[in-house]
């Protein structure tokens, strides 16, 4: 498998109905080029795991607007009217997950754990139908792992072997999602020779990255 | 010059922000929610060494950068541009919520749709009308050492402080304090205590504007905002 691919190749690789993790927080740290390519390709029935619905023009917004998303799994949808509208119309399923639980479920999926025990959500609608577990006298909600077919992540720098760095608050879900999908595709802002990124600065080792978006010629 | 400020004429949101700021202790880690809570940082002396955490992964957020120097890689949890104070760090989302749930966060200040006499907060959905989602609120209310709800006392003439929430609650945890422009309230085992009234507001006015039954013992002082900045 070759590492560097074009946006068109990404759009071909991801089939209708795929389960996709999309990084970013209100569109910050989201691979916007990949989102655009999937929206333009008219993908259908995607399940998207993403922190929030962002706004119509950013984050997962363009995919929702283009009707590519069947199911949204995330923590916040309050500032994207498209999502509210499609949810009310029954065109979009929404599963709301508390943000800290969402990231830990993804981490569990990516690190071989069978789930997460969290106090978050106890005594709320979120707990309905979920088992609770008592540990050392405290009650926790059992939350199951999340995985996806593809993780679409945004990096600051990428070297020739796929080592990734992130920048400031654009880090968010990126390093966690890079562990939790069968195929990991990164859209970096710059590509640098091996050695430019010091080992300590690598946040996602290249061994986890399957593809990197090619530079425009 | 502070005695020249007429707090009774102050914008309600600023009254709330100033009163909440009085609760913040030096050298603590604090998370401010969107809306009124965000205004709290305007009323803190920077020498207090408070670090503001944002769920999206910042410890040590600062004010908006100078014009033209904003960068979309550094935002708060509402997606607004911020800067970083000296000593700031950035972390991923798992670490960020580890701080929140793990008992490392001293205080969170959140907005609310309703709070009830038992101290339950509801702030993530209005069934059948509007479903914004909980974002980080469920983790924050569950995990922070102290939880303050900062909100306007009423919405469309209805009390937001109710006997029992009819909206879905955010956590089974009892919040620590409720600050509105009319009152400071503390939920305790024996009920919802009125601790202070807003500037120029009488106890009777608070009772009239509040659906929840209040515990009122002794003389209730007015908020003293004279030392706020």
């Amino acid at each position: 498998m070759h590492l560097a691919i074009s946006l068109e190749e990404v759009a071909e690789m991801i089939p209708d109905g795929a389960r996709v993790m999309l990084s970013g927080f209100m569109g910050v740290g989201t691979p916007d080029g990949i989102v655009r390519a999937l929206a333009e390709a008219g993908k259908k029935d995607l399940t998207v795991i993403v922190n929030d619905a962002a706004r119509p023009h950013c984050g997962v917004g363009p995919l929702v607007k283009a009707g590519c998303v069947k199911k949204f799994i995330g923590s916040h949808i309050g500032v994207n009217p498209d999502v509210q509208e499609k949810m009310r119309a029954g065109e979009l399923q929404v599963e709301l997950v508390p943000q800290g639980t969402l990231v830990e479920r993804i981490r569990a999926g990516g690190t071989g754990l069978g789930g997460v025990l969290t106090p978050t959500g106890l005594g709320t609608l979120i707990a309905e139908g979920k088992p609770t577990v008592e540990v050392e006298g405290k009650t926790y909600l059992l939350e199951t792992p999340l995985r996806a077919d593809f993780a679409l992540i945004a990096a600051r720098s990428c070297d020739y072997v796929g080592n990734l760095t992130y920048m400031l608050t654009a880090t968010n879900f990126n390093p966690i999602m890079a562990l939790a999908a069968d195929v990991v595709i990164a859209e970096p802002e710059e590509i640098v020779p091996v050695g430019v990124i010091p080992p300590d600065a690598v946040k996602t080792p290249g061994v986890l990255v399957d593809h990197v978006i090619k530079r425009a010629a | 010059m502070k005695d020249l400020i007429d707090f009774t004429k102050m914008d309600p949101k600023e009254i709330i922000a100033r009163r909440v700021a009085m609760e913040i202790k030096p050298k603590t880690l604090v998370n401010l929610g969107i809306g009124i809570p965000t205004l709290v940082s305007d009323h803190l002396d920077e020498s207090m060494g408070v670090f503001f955490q944002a769920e999206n992964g910042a410890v040590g957020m600062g004010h908006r950068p100078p014009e033209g120097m904003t960068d979309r890689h550094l935002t708060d949890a509402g997606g607004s541009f911020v800067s970083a104070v000296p000593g700031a760090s950035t972390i991923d989302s798992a670490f960020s919520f580890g701080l929140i749930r793990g008992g490392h966060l001293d205080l969170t200040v959140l907005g609310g749709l309703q709070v009830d006499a038992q101290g339950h907060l509801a702030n993530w959905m209005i069934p059948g009308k509007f479903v914004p989602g909980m974002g980080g609120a469920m983790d924050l209310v569950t995990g922070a050492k102290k939880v303050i709800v900062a909100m306007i006392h009423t919405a469309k003439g209805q009390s937001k402080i109710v006997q029992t929430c009819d909206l879905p609650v955010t956590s089974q945890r009892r919040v620590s304090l409720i600050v509105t422009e009319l009152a400071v309230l503390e939920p305790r085992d024996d009920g919802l205590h009125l601790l202070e009234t807003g500037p120029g507001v009488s106890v009777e006015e608070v009772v009239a504007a509040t659906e929840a039954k209040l515990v009122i013992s002794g003389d209730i002082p007015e908020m003293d905002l004279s030392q706020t900045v």
Side-chain angles (χ1 to χ4, degrees):
Chain A
M1 216 185 278
H2 57 309
L3 188 68
I5 59 175
S6 66
L7 288 171
E8 293 71 28
E9 286 173 286
V10 173
E12 280 167 32
M13 185 185 298
I14 298 178
D16 290 345
R19 189 175 169 89
V20 170
M21 282 181 189
L22 182 66
S23 68
F25 191 113
M26 288 296 290
V28 175
T30 296
D32 296 319
I34 297 177
V35 167
R36 236 178 356 256
L38 295 178
E40 281 166 12
K43 292 294 163 187
K44 293 280 174 248
D45 298 331
L46 299 179
T47 292
V48 182
I49 300 165
V50 58
N51 176 58
D52 56 80
R55 298 179 194 275
H57 66 277
C58 70
V60 72
L63 281 177
V64 173
K65 194 179 263 305
C68 307
V69 184
K70 180 181 72 178
K71 183 170 185 183
F72 168 98
I73 301 172
S75 73
H76 197 268
I77 55 174
V79 289
N80 189 331
D82 292 347
V83 169
Q84 297 284 332
E85 198 177 299
K86 284 176 191 284
M87 182 174 65
R88 274 194 297 268
E91 293 163 24
L92 178 68
Q93 300 168 44
V94 172
E95 181 184 336
L96 287 170
V97 183
Q99 197 170 136
T101 301
L102 181 68
V103 71
E104 284 300 321
R105 288 179 68 189
I106 296 167
R107 207 173 69 85
T111 57
L113 300 176
V116 183
L117 298 178
T118 178
T120 302
L122 280 173
T124 74
L125 290 181
I126 294 303
E128 282 179 9
K130 290 176 188 164
T132 56
V133 177
E134 197 162 304
V135 182
E136 294 173 354
K138 283 189 187 164
T139 306
Y140 299 89
L141 208 53
L142 173 62
E143 295 276 7
T144 53
L146 278 175
R147 283 191 62 86
D149 304 320
F150 297 90
L152 309 177
I153 63 180
R156 179 189 189 177
S157 305
C158 173
D159 67 18
Y160 301 162
V161 297
N163 287 318
L164 304 180
T165 69
Y166 307 106
M167 189 175 168
L168 300 168
T169 54
T171 308
N172 57 69
F173 279 70
N174 279 292
I176 318 297
M177 287 183 168
L179 284 158
D182 297 343
V183 178
V184 176
I185 306 172
E187 182 177 333
E189 293 185 10
E190 61 175 12
I191 294 179
V192 297
V194 169
V196 170
I197 305 174
D200 274 348
V202 174
K203 295 289 166 60
T204 298
V207 291
L208 292 170
V209 179
D210 297 289
H211 298 288
V212 172
I213 302 301
K214 239 181 233 182
R215 299 284 88 187
Chain B
M1 299 300 280
K2 280 183 189 125
D3 55 353
L4 294 179
I5 299 176
D6 184 353
F7 291 106
T8 65
K9 293 197 170 65
M10 186 169 271
D11 176 66
K13 292 178 180 175
E14 188 175 339
I15 291 173
I16 298 167
R18 283 175 181 261
R19 181 59 190 83
V20 172
M22 291 166 60
E23 296 294 317
I24 297 181
K25 297 188 169 55
K27 301 197 186 301
T28 51
L29 181 63
V30 175
N31 182 300
L32 300 177
I34 309 302
I36 295 173
T38 303
L39 305 176
V40 172
S41 65
D42 294 341
H43 300 287
L44 279 187
D45 192 331
E46 282 173 22
S47 68
M48 284 172 71
V50 172
F51 273 69
F52 288 104
Q53 190 237 12
E55 296 97 291
N56 54 326
V59 175
M61 262 193 312
H63 291 294
R64 193 184 167 93
E67 191 58 34
M69 304 297 271
T70 56
D71 187 303
R72 67 188 297 257
H73 293 100
L74 186 56
T75 56
D76 65 17
S80 299
F81 297 117
V82 293
S83 60
V85 300
S89 55
T90 49
I91 52 186
D92 66 48
S93 295
F95 197 110
S96 187
F97 279 85
L99 287 179
I100 291 168
R101 265 191 330 267
H104 309 284
L105 184 67
D106 295 296
L107 169 67
T108 185
V109 184
L110 293 167
L113 296 167
Q114 278 182 341
V115 188
D116 69 20
Q118 296 75 47
H120 293 136
L121 167 68
N123 74 346
W124 67 284
M125 73 179 293
I126 306 174
K129 283 192 181 161
F130 181 54
V131 184
M134 71 294 284
M138 284 192 176
D139 297 282
L140 285 162
V141 178
T142 303
K145 284 186 195 159
K146 184 171 177 178
V147 180
I148 296 179
V149 179
M151 64 180 191
I152 298 290
H153 205 92
T154 56
K156 294 174 186 158
Q158 297 287 311
S159 173
K160 291 171 75 177
I161 300 173
V162 296
Q163 189 58 30
T164 304
C165 285
D166 53 21
L167 297 177
V169 298
T170 304
S171 173
Q172 62 186 6
R173 152 106 179 257
R174 178 200 285 172
V175 303
S176 318
L177 204 65
I178 304 148
V179 178
T180 76
E181 78 282 21
L182 301 183
V184 179
L185 302 161
E186 185 181 24
R188 298 181 192 161
D189 287 341
D190 63 341
L192 187 59
H193 285 248
L194 176 63
L195 301 186
E196 298 170 24
T197 59
V201 177
S202 70
V203 170
E204 292 70 28
E205 285 169 311
V206 175
V207 170
T210 309
E211 189 211 297
K213 190 175 178 330
L214 300 178
V215 180
I216 300 164
S217 55
D219 287 339
I220 306 298
E222 258 188 35
M223 289 179 198
D224 178 8
L225 303 176
S226 63
Q227 299 304 309
T228 57
V229 293

